[in-house]
Amino acid sequence: MIILLRRGAAPADVQKLREDLQNRGFTLHESTGTLESLIGVIGDTSAIDINTLQARDCIERISRIAEPYKKVNRKMHPDNTVIDVRGRKVGNGSLQIIAGPCSVESEEQIISTAVSVKEAGATMLRGGAFKPRTSPYAFQGLEANGIDLLKKARDITGLPIVTEIMGEEDLPLFEDIDVIQVGARNMQNFKLLKALGKFNKPILLKRGLSSTIEELLMSAEYIMAGGNSEVILCERGIRTFETMTRNTLDISAVSLLKQKSHLPVCADPSHATGILSLIEPMSLSLIVAGADMLEIEVHCNPVNALSDGAQQLTPTSFSSLMQNINKMADFMGRNIG
Ligand code: PEP
Ligand code: MN
């Protein structure tokens, strides 16, 4: 970290700054010029709150040199993290496909969808039991009953199950869930992230609607700082000025996250675009960008879906998408599963 001192700063203030930093264990390297003076702060500065430090009168500006995230940083862990989900490896170069409905709606719906996505080649099943809906009057999910139905679908198909948690008070219901999803709206629910840090399950952490890549990495850092190193980062589109798509898919984030972090990266073309005809071209692009995993919404009867009907593929169109995903995976030298 580099601190640029304010011109004409009181020597006593600068001395106090030096002492405070040294007392916190940092080594200082100073460079005094005729116009500008700098203090280089050497050590693990990730716990320094720049905004607090900035309040000192003697400081003009502070620049971080090291990233504020450590545990998720590839510099600290050059090898890819590989997460085992019931024998399927996430992050080892293979491609995992999570498919299933936006919401679990009934036994017939989840089982029928699960059987067809399995047949088409999906490697994991998704389905929301707790639904974060913009309107309190919209379908909120089957909650505990939805979790039981997902387990039933897993028993029948053998597919690991991925489902979203909305609050830490529901954690006991997630003991037997294979991958716990943190939705975009909860990416910065720090209490939930801390609780998941103490929970021994893989976490699929979705990027917040208006969150930067660094904020996503810092949220993953929360989970890892708590002791849980099984985090999968997920790009699901961000809010921009564009209105023709539901969100703007940030494909570059996928490649960048792979460079910055050793954690596996997932991408969700369904929520990112909200448009059926874009799901295939975006899925293929995301494979090229290096995604370890795709999450795609599929419903046995999208017209009657209780949430996100317009963006859910039918089993038939998912099956044809899987054929092209297979070709692209082959071309890129990736195995599915
Ligand atoms: C979902 O995957 O069901 C979901 C609500 O996604 P997001 O949190 O990305 O909006
Ligand atoms: Mn959805």
Side-chain angles (χ1 to χ4, degrees):
M1 173 179 282
I2 292 175
I3 298 174
L4 172 66
L5 296 174
R6 194 171 55 75
R7 280 185 213 175
D13 287 353
V14 178
Q15 185 52 25
K16 178 82 174 69
L17 173 66
R18 279 189 199 104
E19 284 167 13
D20 288 350
L21 290 168
Q22 281 163 341
N23 287 341
R24 288 179 68 177
F26 298 109
T27 307
L28 307 183
H29 284 285
E30 297 204 36
S31 158
T32 310
T34 42
L35 290 176
E36 311 289 4
S37 294
L38 305 171
I39 299 180
V41 185
I42 314 295
D44 178 6
T45 57
S46 54
I48 292 186
D49 182 339
I50 288 195
N51 289 326
T52 307
L53 202 58
Q54 186 82 63
R56 293 182 190 233
D57 211 33
C58 61
I59 295 179
E60 177 72 33
R61 195 157 18 97
I62 303 171
S63 305
R64 268 196 197 282
I65 306 300
E67 291 99 346
Y69 46 89
K70 292 186 291 183
K71 293 186 188 303
V72 308
N73 200 325
R74 196 179 271 284
K75 284 182 192 154
M76 308 290 171
H77 187 297
D79 295 336
N80 288 332
T81 284
V82 178
I83 300 175
D84 189 299
V85 181
R86 287 188 177 256
R88 282 132 180 112
K89 304 274 193 286
V90 187
N92 71 344
S94 65
L95 178 66
Q96 301 294 335
I97 307 291
I98 310 174
C102 181
S103 304
V104 180
E105 299 169 5
S106 68
E107 178 164 346
E108 197 197 345
Q109 173 250 14
I110 189 66
I111 302 230
S112 149
T113 310
V115 168
S116 49
V117 299
K118 162 90 190 264
E119 229 175 72
T123 60
M124 297 189 199
L125 175 68
R126 66 151 284 148
F130 292 87
K131 292 305 301 175
R133 305 302 303 279
T134 302
S135 165
Y137 310 116
F139 177 60
Q140 302 286 307
L142 297 181
E143 304 191 341
N145 188 26
I147 301 262
D148 288 341
L149 294 177
L150 280 167
K151 290 184 199 165
K152 210 163 184 180
R154 178 178 63 195
D155 289 344
I156 292 170
T157 60
L159 292 176
I161 47 181
V162 182
T163 195
E164 177 167 350
I165 188 162
M166 284 173 57
E168 73 260 37
E169 64 283 3
D170 296 325
L171 267 174
L173 292 170
F174 286 73
E175 294 279 358
D176 191 23
I177 294 299
D178 302 309
V179 177
I180 303 178
Q181 176 170 313
V182 175
R185 289 153 192 83
N186 268 315
M187 188 202 86
Q188 286 191 321
N189 179 341
F190 299 117
K191 229 173 144 205
L192 177 61
L193 299 178
K194 282 182 184 173
L196 293 171
K198 302 269 172 250
F199 210 65
N200 191 21
K201 288 281 172 191
I203 309 298
L204 178 65
L205 178 64
K206 297 187 94 174
R207 181 178 181 181
L209 279 72
S210 304
S211 298
T212 64
I213 293 171
E214 184 168 291
E215 284 164 344
L216 171 60
L217 290 167
M218 290 306 286
S219 289
E221 187 81 15
Y222 261 89
I223 300 171
M224 286 193 73
N228 183 353
S229 55
E230 301 204 313
V231 183
I232 303 162
L233 305 165
C234 183
E235 163 60 33
R236 47 78 70 206
I238 48 174
R239 278 269 166 90
T240 67
F241 51 81
E242 185 52 68
T243 55
M244 280 209 192
T245 47
R246 182 172 178 181
N247 291 288
T248 296
L249 176 58
D250 184 359
I251 295 183
S252 63
V254 171
S255 309
L256 199 55
L257 285 168
K258 291 295 295 176
Q259 290 171 26
K260 297 282 179 197
S261 176
H262 51 87
L263 295 173
V265 177
C266 175
D268 171 350
S270 301
H271 290 91
T273 64
I275 298 177
L276 283 178
S277 61
L278 295 182
I279 293 175
E280 179 160 314
M282 292 307 99
S283 297
L284 302 182
S285 309
L286 289 161
I287 297 171
V288 177
D292 296 289
M293 200 177 208
L294 297 178
E295 183 174 36
I296 299 168
E297 285 190 341
V298 182
H299 192 290
C300 56
N301 184 9
V303 177
N304 290 320
L306 297 181
S307 60
D308 284 353
Q311 72 189 30
Q312 302 199 61
L313 296 171
T314 60
T316 311
S317 43
F318 177 66
S319 177
S320 105
L321 166 64
M322 280 305 294
Q323 289 178 20
N324 287 329
I325 285 181
N326 266 294
K327 284 186 203 152
M328 181 56 92
D330 235 28
F331 178 71
M332 296 297 290
R334 314 268 308 271
N335 290 321
I336 297 184

